[in-house]
Amino acid sequence: MMKQADVSKVRREIISHVGSRVKIKANRGRNKMDITEGIITETYPSIFLIKIEDGSSDTVKTMSFSYADVLTKDVQMMLC
């Protein structure tokens, strides 16, 4: 069972790294793993946003993740 204190700890840690480049490994279900690199741009009470720039084209994609995803290890992040 998740405690609110645990989610708050994850939230504080992510807020302290806003603007940092991170490598994200996200579990998308059915043995599908997405590995991308991006920059933490914004944080909200229950989610945070990561901006991902596609190197082959000039498009920018924004992905959102919840703090609970990080806590349950559905999303793993490493600072670059």
Side-chain angles (χ1 to χ4, degrees), residues 60-71:
V60 176
K61 187 165 80 168
T62 301
M63 297 179 74
S64 66
F65 300 100
S66 72
Y67 303 110
D69 289 340
V70 176
L71 190 61

Side-chain angles (χ1 to χ4, degrees), residues 44-62:
Y44 295 99
S46 56
I47 63 168
F48 60 97
L49 303 179
I50 297 184
K51 181 174 74 170
I52 299 167
E53 297 176 0
D54 190 8
S56 60
S57 63
D58 293 332
T59 60
V60 176
K61 187 165 80 168
T62 301

Side-chain angles (χ1 to χ4, degrees), residues 18-77:
V18 170
S20 300
R21 181 169 288 280
V22 291
K23 188 173 198 176
I24 299 172
K25 187 175 179 181
N27 183 1
R28 296 292 180 191
R30 294 200 176 249
N31 298 325
K32 295 178 187 172
M33 297 295 285
D34 286 345
I35 300 174
T36 56
E37 209 171 290
I39 298 171
I40 301 172
T41 56
E42 296 181 58
T43 59
Y44 295 99
S46 56
I47 63 168
F48 60 97
L49 303 179
I50 297 184
K51 181 174 74 170
I52 299 167
E53 297 176 0
D54 190 8
S56 60
S57 63
D58 293 332
T59 60
V60 176
K61 187 165 80 168
T62 301
M63 297 179 74
S64 66
F65 300 100
S66 72
Y67 303 110
D69 289 340
V70 176
L71 190 61
T72 59
K73 298 196 186 326
D74 284 338
V75 174
Q76 298 174 3
M77 297 179 14

